[in-house]
């Protein structure tokens, strides 16, 4: 499986990163070795001094497809969840300055903790789902999928023009405003609405 991450999908986050507004979805990949499941701890990597959380709604691809039209895209995912797109911001900044790919800042081992998945039909409107991250009991990032620049179907349609989607692939749909650093011993709890989805520690 592969992890497809959307960048710059919330206007206020685009502004906070001083990035240009995208005309089409921007995406990058993480390898399957980035996955962390079952609330296992995140071990702070030695190669960065500035690991940031990015809290994101995720969804799982349920059948193979390519060149998927937007109007049929809803058939390709059934479940959503929550993930953290951990980013080595210091390394990313250096990559951007040099015009290099971002992989070392985004695709490193354990950079993608994911929650359990919930059937999407539990939600009356997928483009109106609130979510948040608390660190040590304090809310640090809040978002709502209504603020996404590109909807779930648009993301599926766009990415599948270039890359075949396969069963089990996971999309990270972008982070809202409010990214920030984590440090060793932090307790991260992330929620969809008021349901606890992720609960793990930085070690
Ligand atoms: Mg992200």
């Amino acid at each position: 499986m592969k992890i497809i991450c959307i960048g710059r999908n919330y206007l206020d986050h685009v502004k906070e990163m001083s990035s240009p507004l995208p005309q089409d979805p921007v995406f990058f990949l993480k390898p399957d070795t980035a996955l962390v499941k079952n609330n296992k701890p995140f071990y702070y990597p030695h190669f960065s001094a500035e690991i940031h959380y990015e809290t994101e709604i995720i969804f799982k691809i349920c059948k193979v497809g390519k060149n998927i039209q937007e109007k049929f895209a809803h058939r390709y995912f059934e479940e959503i969840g929550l993930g953290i797109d951990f980013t080595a911001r210091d390394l990313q900044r250096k990559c951007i300055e040099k015009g290099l790919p971002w992989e070392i800042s985004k695709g490193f081992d354990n950079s993608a903790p994911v929650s359990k998945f919930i059937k999407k039909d539990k939600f009356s409107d997928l483009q109106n789902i609130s979510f948040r991250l608390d660190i040590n009991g304090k809310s640090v990032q809040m978002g709502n999928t209504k603020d996404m620049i590109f909807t779930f179907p648009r993301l599926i349609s766009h990415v599948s023009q270039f890359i075949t989607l396969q069963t089990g692939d996971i999309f990270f749909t972008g982070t809202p405003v409010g990214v920030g650093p984590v440090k060793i011993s932090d307790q991260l709890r992330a929620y969809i609405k008021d349901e606890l989805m992720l609960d793990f520690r930085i070690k």
Side-chain angles (χ1 to χ4, degrees):
M1 60 82 65
K2 55 190 172 287
I3 303 165
I4 299 148
C5 299
I6 308 299
R8 304 176 187 171
N9 203 19
Y10 286 82
L11 188 57
D12 289 342
H13 174 63
V14 172
K15 287 182 190 160
E16 95 181 317
M17 302 304 288
S18 307
S19 304
L21 192 64
Q23 299 302 305
D24 288 308
V26 174
F27 70 91
F28 59 90
L29 302 179
K30 293 191 190 227
D32 57 3
T33 41
L35 274 186
V36 186
K37 295 179 185 171
N38 303 318
N39 288 320
K40 294 217 176 83
F42 173 82
Y43 290 91
Y44 206 105
H46 64 87
F47 47 74
S48 173
E50 193 183 2
I51 297 290
H52 274 196
Y53 59 80
E54 296 188 358
T55 316
E56 310 195 7
I57 294 287
I58 61 176
F59 63 85
K60 196 190 281 178
I61 293 297
C62 62
K63 64 175 178 174
V64 175
K66 71 178 293 180
N67 293 321
I68 299 164
Q69 290 181 53
E70 220 173 304
K71 62 181 175 184
F72 298 128
H74 65 277
R75 299 177 184 171
Y76 289 82
F77 71 108
E78 289 171 345
E79 297 174 306
I80 72 159
L82 209 55
I84 307 290
D85 166 20
F86 276 124
T87 304
R89 197 69 74 196
D90 44 357
L91 298 186
Q92 187 190 36
R93 207 176 296 119
K94 283 182 194 158
C95 290
I96 291 171
E97 276 166 17
K98 293 178 181 166
L100 294 172
W102 289 353
E103 261 71 5
I104 58 167
S105 71
K106 287 286 197 178
F108 57 88
D109 285 354
N110 306 318
S111 60
V114 297
S115 72
K116 63 183 176 180
F117 285 85
I118 302 173
K119 293 278 181 214
K120 70 176 182 189
D121 54 20
K122 290 254 164 73
F123 299 90
S124 55
D125 182 0
L126 287 180
Q127 299 298 162
N128 188 5
I129 297 173
S130 61
F131 57 101
R132 74 172 203 273
L133 173 67
D134 291 359
I135 297 185
N136 305 325
K138 184 168 170 266
S139 293
V140 294
Q141 191 176 29
M142 278 160 279
N144 190 301
T145 55
K146 70 176 159 51
D147 297 320
M148 287 168 66
I149 298 169
F150 304 110
T151 62
F152 296 93
R154 178 77 199 282
L155 299 178
I156 289 171
S157 174
H158 181 76
V159 173
S160 71
Q161 291 177 51
F162 304 95
I163 297 178
T164 300
L165 303 182
Q166 294 174 299
T167 306
D169 290 350
I170 293 175
F171 270 73
F172 276 62
T173 62
T175 198
V177 70
V179 301
V182 294
K183 58 184 190 316
I184 289 171
S185 87
D186 279 348
Q187 182 76 35
L188 276 63
R189 291 199 175 96
Y191 300 79
I192 290 181
K193 297 186 175 175
D194 284 319
E195 181 166 355
L196 181 62
M197 299 293 289
L198 282 167
D199 184 2
F200 65 96
R201 197 171 275 281
I202 310 292
K203 288 195 171 177

